[in-house]
Amino acid sequence: MVRSGEKTKVTKPNNGNTVGLGVGMKKGPWTPEEDQKLLSYIQQFGHGSWRSLPPKAGLKRCGKSCRLRWTNYLRPDIKRGKFTLEEERTIIQLHALLGNRWSTIAAHLPRRTDNEIKNHWNSHIKKRMTKMGIDPMTHKPNNGTQHLGSNLNHMAQWEAARLEAEARLVQKPKIELTYVNVSPPSIQKTPTKLAPPPYLPCLDVLKVWQGNLWSNYSINNENLQSFISTSNVSVATPAIPLSKQVESNVSCDQGPTTEHNDQTETQIGPFEEIRYTNDENFINDNLLRSPDFWEEFCLPDGGWNSVANNFAMICTPPASPVF
DNA sequence: AACGCACGCAACCGCATTTCT
DNA sequence: TAGAAATGCGGTTGCGTGCGT
Protein backbone atom coordinates (compact mmCIF):
# COMPACT_ATOMS: atom_id res chain seq x y z
CA MET A 1 0.00 0.00 0.00
CA VAL A 2 1.46 3.30 -0.97
CA ARG A 3 0.70 5.98 1.45
CA SER A 4 1.83 9.13 -0.19
CA GLY A 5 1.74 12.60 1.18
CA GLU A 6 2.13 11.53 4.75
CA LYS A 7 4.32 12.91 7.42
CA THR A 8 7.82 11.61 7.07
CA LYS A 9 10.22 10.78 9.81
CA VAL A 10 13.85 11.69 9.48
CA THR A 11 16.35 9.41 11.09
CA LYS A 12 18.75 10.26 13.81
CA PRO A 13 22.27 8.90 13.51
CA ASN A 14 22.09 5.19 14.03
CA ASN A 15 24.40 3.83 16.65
CA GLY A 16 23.22 0.26 16.87
CA ASN A 17 22.89 -0.80 13.31
CA THR A 18 25.95 -1.34 11.21
CA VAL A 19 23.99 -0.20 8.21
CA GLY A 20 24.46 3.26 9.62
CA LEU A 21 21.64 5.43 8.43
CA GLY A 22 23.03 8.84 7.81
CA VAL A 23 21.65 12.08 9.17
CA GLY A 24 18.80 13.34 7.05
CA MET A 25 17.87 9.98 5.63
CA LYS A 26 14.19 9.74 4.96
CA LYS A 27 12.04 7.13 6.66
CA GLY A 28 8.43 6.12 6.51
CA PRO A 29 6.16 5.34 3.63
CA TRP A 30 7.49 5.56 0.11
CA THR A 31 6.04 8.07 -2.28
CA PRO A 32 5.20 7.16 -5.89
CA GLU A 33 8.05 9.44 -6.98
CA GLU A 34 10.53 7.53 -4.87
CA ASP A 35 9.16 4.25 -6.16
CA GLN A 36 9.60 5.47 -9.70
CA LYS A 37 13.17 6.55 -9.07
CA LEU A 38 14.11 3.24 -7.51
CA LEU A 39 12.32 1.21 -10.13
CA SER A 40 13.81 2.97 -13.09
CA TYR A 41 17.28 2.91 -11.60
CA ILE A 42 17.18 -0.81 -10.96
CA GLN A 43 15.66 -1.52 -14.34
CA GLN A 44 18.47 0.41 -15.93
CA PHE A 45 21.48 -0.55 -13.85
CA GLY A 46 20.45 -3.33 -11.50
CA HIS A 47 20.67 -2.76 -7.80
CA GLY A 48 24.37 -3.52 -7.39
CA SER A 49 25.48 -2.44 -3.95
CA TRP A 50 22.41 -1.41 -2.06
CA ARG A 51 24.37 1.00 0.05
CA SER A 52 25.65 2.96 -2.87
CA LEU A 53 22.36 2.87 -4.74
CA PRO A 54 20.36 5.66 -3.05
CA PRO A 55 22.57 8.62 -4.01
CA LYS A 56 22.97 7.26 -7.53
CA ALA A 57 19.20 6.88 -7.85
CA GLY A 58 18.58 10.28 -6.32
CA LEU A 59 16.98 8.92 -3.19
CA LYS A 60 17.37 10.15 0.34
CA ARG A 61 16.92 6.66 1.72
CA CYS A 62 19.30 4.15 3.20
CA GLY A 63 20.23 1.14 1.11
CA LYS A 64 18.44 -1.13 3.46
CA SER A 65 15.18 0.70 2.99
CA CYS A 66 15.64 0.57 -0.79
CA ARG A 67 16.34 -3.15 -0.72
CA LEU A 68 13.25 -3.77 1.39
CA ARG A 69 11.08 -1.66 -0.83
CA TRP A 70 12.32 -3.49 -3.87
CA THR A 71 12.08 -7.02 -2.52
CA ASN A 72 8.75 -6.60 -0.80
CA TYR A 73 6.91 -4.30 -3.13
CA LEU A 74 8.45 -3.15 -6.38
CA ARG A 75 9.87 -6.36 -7.75
CA PRO A 76 7.89 -7.14 -10.89
CA ASP A 77 7.49 -10.84 -10.12
CA ILE A 78 5.59 -10.39 -6.91
CA LYS A 79 2.22 -12.01 -6.68
CA ARG A 80 -0.33 -10.04 -4.75
CA GLY A 81 -3.76 -10.72 -3.44
CA LYS A 82 -5.36 -13.48 -1.50
CA PHE A 83 -3.46 -16.58 -0.60
CA THR A 84 -4.95 -19.66 -2.18
CA LEU A 85 -5.93 -22.66 -0.15
CA GLU A 86 -3.00 -24.51 -1.60
CA GLU A 87 -0.61 -21.77 -0.60
CA GLU A 88 -2.00 -21.69 2.91
CA ARG A 89 -1.65 -25.41 3.22
CA THR A 90 1.93 -25.21 2.04
CA ILE A 91 2.69 -22.47 4.54
CA ILE A 92 1.24 -24.47 7.40
CA GLN A 93 3.09 -27.60 6.44
CA LEU A 94 6.37 -25.82 5.95
CA HIS A 95 5.89 -23.95 9.19
CA ALA A 96 5.39 -27.23 10.97
CA LEU A 97 8.75 -28.34 9.66
CA LEU A 98 10.71 -25.12 9.69
CA GLY A 99 9.16 -22.86 12.27
CA ASN A 100 9.39 -19.13 11.66
CA ARG A 101 11.93 -19.37 8.88
CA TRP A 102 9.94 -17.15 6.59
CA SER A 103 12.52 -16.69 3.91
CA THR A 104 12.93 -20.45 3.60
CA ILE A 105 9.20 -20.88 3.44
CA ALA A 106 8.96 -18.10 0.88
CA ALA A 107 11.48 -19.88 -1.31
CA HIS A 108 8.90 -22.64 -1.72
CA LEU A 109 6.07 -20.28 -2.58
CA PRO A 110 6.88 -18.73 -5.91
CA ARG A 111 6.32 -14.99 -6.17
CA ARG A 112 5.42 -14.54 -2.54
CA THR A 113 7.66 -12.53 -0.25
CA ASP A 114 8.73 -13.62 3.18
CA ASN A 115 7.20 -10.47 4.62
CA GLU A 116 3.88 -11.21 3.01
CA ILE A 117 3.89 -14.78 4.26
CA LYS A 118 4.89 -13.68 7.73
CA ASN A 119 2.10 -11.13 7.80
CA HIS A 120 -0.40 -13.64 6.55
CA TRP A 121 0.69 -16.15 9.14
CA ASN A 122 0.44 -13.68 11.99
CA SER A 123 -2.81 -12.10 10.98
CA HIS A 124 -4.71 -15.09 9.63
CA ILE A 125 -3.38 -18.57 10.02
CA LYS A 126 -1.98 -18.25 13.51
CA LYS A 127 -5.23 -16.86 14.85
CA ARG A 128 -7.27 -19.49 13.10
CA MET A 129 -5.16 -22.28 14.53
CA THR A 130 -5.37 -20.80 17.99
CA LYS A 131 -9.13 -20.63 17.64
CA MET A 132 -9.14 -24.27 16.67
CA GLY A 133 -7.23 -25.14 19.81
CA ILE A 134 -4.03 -25.88 17.97
CA ASP A 135 -0.78 -24.44 19.16
CA PRO A 136 0.53 -22.56 16.12
CA MET A 137 4.12 -23.13 17.14
CA THR A 138 3.99 -26.86 17.76
CA HIS A 139 1.07 -27.55 15.43
CA LYS A 140 -0.36 -29.83 18.03
CA PRO A 141 -3.61 -29.64 19.93
CA ASN A 142 -3.10 -27.55 23.02
CA ASN A 143 -4.27 -30.31 25.30
CA GLY A 144 -3.11 -33.06 23.06
CA THR A 145 -0.62 -35.77 23.66
CA GLN A 146 2.57 -36.31 21.77
CA HIS A 147 1.05 -38.10 18.87
CA LEU A 148 3.98 -38.28 16.62
CA GLY A 149 6.91 -40.22 17.79
CA SER A 150 10.55 -39.36 17.72
CA ASN A 151 10.96 -40.88 14.32
CA LEU A 152 8.70 -38.30 12.78
CA ASN A 153 10.43 -35.61 14.72
CA HIS A 154 13.75 -36.82 13.46
CA MET A 155 12.46 -37.05 9.93
CA ALA A 156 11.02 -33.59 10.16
CA GLN A 157 14.34 -32.23 11.31
CA TRP A 158 16.10 -33.80 8.39
CA GLU A 159 13.48 -32.53 6.04
CA ALA A 160 13.71 -29.08 7.55
CA ALA A 161 17.43 -29.08 6.92
CA ARG A 162 16.86 -30.23 3.39
CA LEU A 163 14.23 -27.61 2.68
CA GLU A 164 16.52 -24.95 3.99
CA ALA A 165 19.34 -26.16 1.79
CA GLU A 166 16.97 -26.34 -1.14
CA ALA A 167 15.85 -22.81 -0.48
CA ARG A 168 19.45 -21.70 -0.53
CA LEU A 169 19.91 -23.37 -3.88
CA VAL A 170 16.82 -21.66 -5.20
CA GLN A 171 18.24 -18.35 -4.11
CA LYS A 172 21.71 -19.07 -5.48
CA PRO A 173 21.18 -21.10 -8.61
CA LYS A 174 24.63 -20.39 -9.94
CA ILE A 175 26.54 -22.58 -7.56
CA GLU A 176 27.79 -25.86 -8.84
CA LEU A 177 25.77 -28.79 -7.65
CA THR A 178 27.05 -32.21 -6.91
CA TYR A 179 24.46 -34.92 -6.98
CA VAL A 180 25.06 -38.27 -5.48
CA ASN A 181 24.35 -40.96 -7.98
CA VAL A 182 22.61 -43.44 -5.78
CA SER A 183 23.08 -47.08 -6.57
CA PRO A 184 22.83 -50.26 -4.64
CA PRO A 185 25.43 -49.88 -1.93
CA SER A 186 27.55 -52.76 -3.06
CA ILE A 187 27.87 -51.48 -6.58
CA GLN A 188 28.56 -47.79 -6.52
CA LYS A 189 28.83 -45.00 -4.03
CA THR A 190 30.95 -42.56 -5.95
CA PRO A 191 29.62 -39.04 -6.11
CA THR A 192 29.42 -37.94 -9.67
CA LYS A 193 28.73 -34.55 -11.13
CA LEU A 194 25.59 -34.54 -13.18
CA ALA A 195 23.98 -31.94 -15.29
CA PRO A 196 21.58 -30.06 -13.03
CA PRO A 197 18.20 -31.69 -13.31
CA PRO A 198 15.10 -29.68 -14.07
CA TYR A 199 14.02 -30.10 -10.48
CA LEU A 200 15.96 -30.48 -7.32
CA PRO A 201 16.62 -34.13 -6.74
CA CYS A 202 14.72 -34.66 -3.58
CA LEU A 203 11.42 -36.17 -2.69
CA ASP A 204 9.31 -33.33 -1.50
CA VAL A 205 7.93 -34.17 1.87
CA LEU A 206 5.06 -31.84 1.18
CA LYS A 207 3.73 -34.16 -1.43
CA VAL A 208 3.89 -36.86 1.11
CA TRP A 209 2.12 -34.75 3.66
CA GLN A 210 -0.42 -33.89 1.09
CA GLY A 211 -1.33 -37.51 0.85
CA ASN A 212 -0.01 -38.28 -2.59
CA LEU A 213 2.68 -40.74 -1.70
CA TRP A 214 2.22 -42.26 1.69
CA SER A 215 0.57 -45.52 1.36
CA ASN A 216 2.06 -48.34 -0.61
CA TYR A 217 4.76 -46.23 -2.14
CA SER A 218 7.80 -48.15 -3.02
CA ILE A 219 11.02 -47.07 -4.56
CA ASN A 220 13.17 -49.66 -6.20
CA ASN A 221 16.70 -49.12 -7.31
CA GLU A 222 15.73 -48.51 -10.86
CA ASN A 223 13.23 -45.78 -10.28
CA LEU A 224 15.42 -44.42 -7.53
CA GLN A 225 18.08 -43.80 -10.15
CA SER A 226 15.50 -42.17 -12.30
CA PHE A 227 14.27 -40.19 -9.35
CA ILE A 228 17.70 -38.88 -8.50
CA SER A 229 18.41 -37.66 -11.99
CA THR A 230 15.00 -36.43 -13.02
CA SER A 231 13.01 -36.15 -9.85
CA ASN A 232 10.44 -38.51 -11.21
CA VAL A 233 9.50 -41.26 -8.91
CA SER A 234 7.05 -44.02 -9.52
CA VAL A 235 4.47 -44.14 -6.89
CA ALA A 236 1.77 -46.56 -6.07
CA THR A 237 -1.82 -45.46 -6.04
CA PRO A 238 -2.30 -42.87 -3.33
CA ALA A 239 -4.99 -43.99 -1.00
CA ILE A 240 -5.54 -45.47 2.32
CA PRO A 241 -5.32 -49.22 1.98
CA LEU A 242 -8.78 -50.62 1.67
CA SER A 243 -8.21 -52.95 4.55
CA LYS A 244 -7.63 -49.91 6.69
CA GLN A 245 -10.66 -48.00 5.57
CA VAL A 246 -12.89 -47.57 8.51
CA GLU A 247 -15.40 -45.21 9.82
CA SER A 248 -14.44 -43.54 12.99
CA ASN A 249 -15.63 -40.86 15.28
CA VAL A 250 -13.11 -38.36 16.46
CA SER A 251 -14.01 -36.30 19.44
CA CYS A 252 -13.14 -32.70 19.51
CA ASP A 253 -13.73 -29.66 21.59
CA GLN A 254 -15.07 -27.39 18.93
CA GLY A 255 -17.36 -27.80 16.04
CA PRO A 256 -16.16 -27.19 12.54
CA THR A 257 -15.90 -23.73 11.14
CA THR A 258 -16.48 -22.90 7.57
CA GLU A 259 -14.36 -20.62 5.54
CA HIS A 260 -14.89 -19.22 2.10
CA ASN A 261 -12.05 -18.93 -0.31
CA ASP A 262 -13.28 -17.63 -3.61
CA GLN A 263 -14.87 -20.60 -5.30
CA THR A 264 -13.94 -23.07 -2.64
CA GLU A 265 -15.71 -23.68 0.56
CA THR A 266 -13.58 -25.47 3.02
CA GLN A 267 -13.96 -26.94 6.42
CA ILE A 268 -11.24 -25.52 8.55
CA GLY A 269 -12.04 -26.45 12.08
CA PRO A 270 -11.91 -29.70 13.99
CA PHE A 271 -14.51 -32.26 13.09
CA GLU A 272 -17.41 -33.68 14.88
CA GLU A 273 -17.02 -36.73 12.80
CA ILE A 274 -14.48 -37.94 10.38
CA ARG A 275 -15.35 -40.65 7.93
CA TYR A 276 -12.18 -42.10 6.60
CA THR A 277 -12.21 -42.75 2.93
CA ASN A 278 -9.77 -43.21 0.13
CA ASP A 279 -10.94 -40.04 -1.53
CA GLU A 280 -7.85 -38.05 -2.29
CA ASN A 281 -9.53 -34.69 -1.98
CA PHE A 282 -10.84 -35.57 1.39
CA ILE A 283 -7.43 -36.68 2.50
CA ASN A 284 -5.79 -33.56 1.16
CA ASP A 285 -8.31 -31.38 2.89
CA ASN A 286 -8.00 -33.02 6.24
CA LEU A 287 -4.51 -34.24 6.67
CA LEU A 288 -3.51 -31.34 8.85
CA ARG A 289 -6.10 -31.96 11.43
CA SER A 290 -5.66 -35.36 12.86
CA PRO A 291 -2.24 -36.78 13.66
CA ASP A 292 -4.00 -39.94 14.77
CA PHE A 293 -5.35 -40.26 11.31
CA TRP A 294 -1.89 -40.38 9.87
CA GLU A 295 -0.34 -42.51 12.49
CA GLU A 296 -3.05 -45.06 12.37
CA PHE A 297 -4.13 -45.27 8.79
CA CYS A 298 -1.64 -43.71 6.46
CA LEU A 299 1.75 -45.04 7.34
CA PRO A 300 3.29 -47.77 5.27
CA ASP A 301 4.15 -51.03 6.94
CA GLY A 302 7.02 -50.40 9.26
CA GLY A 303 5.58 -47.09 10.46
CA TRP A 304 7.67 -43.97 10.75
CA ASN A 305 10.84 -46.03 10.74
CA SER A 306 10.04 -47.17 7.27
CA VAL A 307 9.33 -43.65 6.14
CA ALA A 308 12.45 -42.29 7.75
CA ASN A 309 14.55 -45.00 6.15
CA ASN A 310 13.17 -44.21 2.74
CA PHE A 311 13.88 -40.54 3.24
CA ALA A 312 17.38 -41.28 4.43
CA MET A 313 17.90 -43.31 1.28
CA ILE A 314 16.79 -40.75 -1.19
CA CYS A 315 17.62 -37.47 0.45
CA THR A 316 21.17 -36.32 0.47
CA PRO A 317 21.34 -33.15 2.51
CA PRO A 318 24.42 -31.06 1.89
CA ALA A 319 25.63 -31.59 5.41
CA SER A 320 24.46 -33.61 8.35
CA PRO A 321 22.41 -31.39 10.54
CA VAL A 322 23.45 -31.31 14.15
CA PHE A 323 20.60 -31.74 16.55
C1' DA B 1 -21.46 12.25 11.60
C1' DA B 2 -18.25 11.00 14.97
C1' DC B 3 -15.90 7.82 17.44
C1' DG B 4 -13.58 3.52 18.69
C1' DC B 5 -11.81 -0.73 17.50
C1' DA B 6 -9.82 -4.50 14.85
C1' DC B 7 -7.44 -5.76 10.99
C1' DG B 8 -4.02 -5.74 7.22
C1' DC B 9 0.20 -4.58 5.71
C1' DA B 10 4.32 -1.67 4.70
C1' DA B 11 8.27 -0.43 6.85
C1' DC B 12 11.52 -0.15 10.56
C1' DC B 13 14.80 -2.07 14.06
C1' DG B 14 18.30 -4.81 15.65
C1' DC B 15 20.63 -9.07 15.54
C1' DA B 16 22.77 -12.75 12.67
C1' DT B 17 25.16 -14.18 8.85
C1' DT B 18 27.86 -13.61 4.83
C1' DT B 19 31.14 -11.27 2.06
C1' DC B 20 34.93 -8.31 1.43
C1' DT B 21 39.46 -6.36 2.45
C1' DT C 1 42.59 -14.90 9.64
C1' DA C 2 40.43 -11.07 11.77
C1' DG C 3 37.84 -7.09 11.54
C1' DA C 4 34.72 -4.25 8.93
C1' DA C 5 31.10 -3.73 5.85
C1' DA C 6 27.17 -5.38 3.53
C1' DT C 7 23.28 -8.02 3.37
C1' DG C 8 19.65 -11.06 5.16
C1' DC C 9 16.24 -12.21 8.37
C1' DG C 10 12.61 -12.24 11.87
C1' DG C 11 10.15 -9.54 15.26
C1' DT C 12 7.68 -5.58 15.91
C1' DT C 13 5.53 -1.15 15.17
C1' DG C 14 2.46 2.16 13.48
C1' DC C 15 -0.66 3.93 10.11
C1' DG C 16 -4.65 3.58 6.85
C1' DT C 17 -8.95 1.46 6.17
C1' DG C 18 -13.27 -0.54 7.04
C1' DC C 19 -16.84 -1.66 10.01
C1' DG C 20 -19.86 -1.44 13.96
C1' DT C 21 -22.01 1.43 17.36
Side-chain angles (χ1 to χ4, degrees):
Chain A
M1 141 176 58
V2 179
R3 295 189 291 244
S4 56
E6 294 168 15
K7 55 188 170 193
T8 302
K9 298 173 198 163
V10 177
T11 60
K12 293 181 240 169
N14 183 310
N15 37 2
N17 196 336
T18 53
V19 170
L21 302 174
V23 184
M25 287 290 184
K26 194 181 164 195
K27 281 172 62 176
W30 281 64
T31 63
E33 292 74 29
E34 287 177 310
D35 280 345
Q36 191 50 50
K37 280 181 182 173
L38 182 59
L39 195 58
S40 57
Y41 181 87
I42 291 177
Q43 279 171 349
Q44 208 174 342
F45 306 106
H47 61 73
S49 160
W50 284 111
R51 202 183 189 190
S52 61
L53 182 149
K56 291 183 198 165
L59 291 162
K60 286 190 161 62
R61 295 269 181 177
C62 66
K64 197 173 181 175
S65 178
C66 293
R67 180 176 59 81
L68 223 56
R69 185 62 178 171
W70 172 255
T71 54
N72 288 337
Y73 194 86
L74 293 175
R75 246 174 47 199
D77 60 334
I78 290 176
K79 178 179 176 184
R80 307 204 153 270
K82 269 189 169 181
F83 280 74
T84 65
L85 200 63
E86 194 57 40
E87 284 175 320
E88 282 200 347
R89 186 184 294 142
T90 303
I91 292 169
I92 293 167
Q93 289 163 350
L94 286 170
H95 188 273
L97 288 171
L98 299 164
N100 294 357
R101 277 122 124 176
W102 304 115
S103 63
T104 310
I105 293 171
H108 292 268
L109 283 158
R111 302 170 66 207
R112 294 288 192 185
T113 69
D114 53 357
N115 206 35
E116 200 179 7
I117 293 168
K118 180 172 60 180
N119 283 334
H120 189 67
W121 173 268
N122 286 327
S123 58
H124 292 93
I125 302 174
K126 196 173 165 184
K127 288 177 188 171
R128 204 184 303 156
M129 288 176 84
T130 306
K131 252 185 189 173
M132 288 161 55
I134 295 171
D135 184 334
M137 294 319 289
T138 62
H139 292 249
K140 289 172 184 162
N142 277 330
N143 56 352
T145 53
Q146 301 293 315
H147 290 285
L148 307 180
S150 59
N151 283 330
L152 172 62
N153 192 34
H154 186 73
M155 187 189 80
Q157 286 175 324
W158 270 90
E159 184 56 17
R162 186 191 72 70
L163 285 166
E164 231 182 319
E166 192 178 312
R168 275 198 292 274
L169 295 180
V170 169
Q171 285 160 359
K172 298 177 183 174
K174 286 176 187 168
I175 69 168
E176 187 177 48
L177 303 175
T178 300
Y179 298 96
V180 177
N181 194 356
V182 177
S183 298
S186 58
I187 299 174
Q188 185 192 9
K189 267 188 173 176
T190 317
T192 52
K193 281 180 184 171
L194 305 172
Y199 313 103
L200 289 162
C202 289
L203 175 63
D204 192 337
V205 76
L206 290 178
K207 289 193 175 61
V208 178
W209 281 48
Q210 283 162 4
N212 293 330
L213 296 179
W214 266 145
S215 55
N216 300 330
Y217 83 80
S218 62
I219 301 173
N220 59 32
N221 285 326
E222 190 187 347
N223 61 32
L224 186 58
Q225 287 277 2
S226 146
F227 171 78
I228 291 297
S229 58
T230 68
S231 196
N232 291 325
V233 58
S234 76
V235 173
T237 313
I240 301 165
L242 284 173
S243 60
K244 291 181 178 174
Q245 283 185 44
V246 295
E247 288 188 12
S248 171
N249 291 321
V250 175
S251 65
C252 60
D253 299 325
Q254 297 169 273
T257 56
T258 300
E259 194 162 273
H260 295 270
N261 189 323
D262 296 336
Q263 307 92 342
T264 320
E265 184 178 275
T266 304
Q267 296 269 314
I268 297 292
F271 298 89
E272 289 168 2
E273 180 189 63
I274 291 178
R275 296 166 71 90
Y276 293 134
T277 78
N278 63 347
D279 176 69
E280 195 180 347
N281 289 330
F282 176 87
I283 294 167
N284 283 339
D285 285 345
N286 296 292
L287 67 101
L288 288 173
R289 297 163 194 148
S290 173
D292 287 336
F293 176 96
W294 285 100
E295 190 126 56
E296 194 167 352
F297 299 112
C298 301
L299 289 177
D301 291 341
W304 292 114
N305 272 330
S306 160
V307 174
N309 287 339
N310 279 321
F311 272 91
M313 274 179 66
I314 60 178
C315 291
T316 52
S320 298
V322 180
F323 303 124

